[in-house]
Amino acid sequence: MSQIPVWFDTDLGVDDAVALLVLNRLPQLELKGISAVAGNAGLHHTFENARNVCHLAGISIPVYPGAERPMFVPLHTAPLVHGVNGVGEAELPPSPAPRETKPAWDALYEAAEA
């Protein structure tokens, strides 16, 4: 059975952390990359959350920084649902993985080309 390549675009909060963990365990899917965008929390939180969840789960997939805000409307985060940091104020151990600096849209384009 061949695997389906998947790119996980996320505003990583509590719900997306669970989705990432489940996605990583599905044998029919091959996780190619992760882009973190602002949404449930600001990009500075969602980017680190995605990196840190990957580290905790042993997922060795690059996480790329994406959009800091929506294109056409103001950013509205969800601190009452996900906490200010996006993961219910949990303090996750920091990932030692190198910080990707390539913009997510470029990394996604390159993955799609490959």
Side-chain angles (χ1 to χ4, degrees), residues 30-62:
E30 181 183 8
L31 187 56
K32 293 292 199 175
I34 300 168
S35 49
V37 299
N40 290 324
L43 179 61
H44 59 285
H45 288 301
T46 61
F47 179 60
E48 292 305 322
N49 292 345
R51 289 171 33 80
N52 297 341
V53 168
C54 284
H55 170 62
L56 278 173
I59 301 170
S60 297
I61 299 294

Side-chain angles (χ1 to χ4, degrees), residues 10 18 25 32 37-38 40 48 52 62 65 70 73 75-76 83 89-90 101-103 105:
T10 179
V18 172
R25 301 291 297 169
K32 293 292 199 175
V37 299
N40 290 324
E48 292 305 322
N52 297 341
V73 298
L75 173 63
H76 294 287
E89 306 314 326
T101 57
K102 181 183 294 184
W105 44 87

Side-chain angles (χ1 to χ4, degrees), residues 67-111:
E68 293 183 55
R69 59 183 173 75
M71 290 177 69
F72 302 112
V73 298
L75 173 63
H76 294 287
T77 60
L80 295 177
V81 176
H82 296 278
V84 173
N85 73 348
V87 287
E89 306 314 326
E91 293 187 25
L92 304 176
S95 172
R99 295 174 63 83
E100 298 292 340
T101 57
K102 181 183 294 184
W105 44 87
D106 289 339
L108 176 57
Y109 179 82
E110 290 171 7

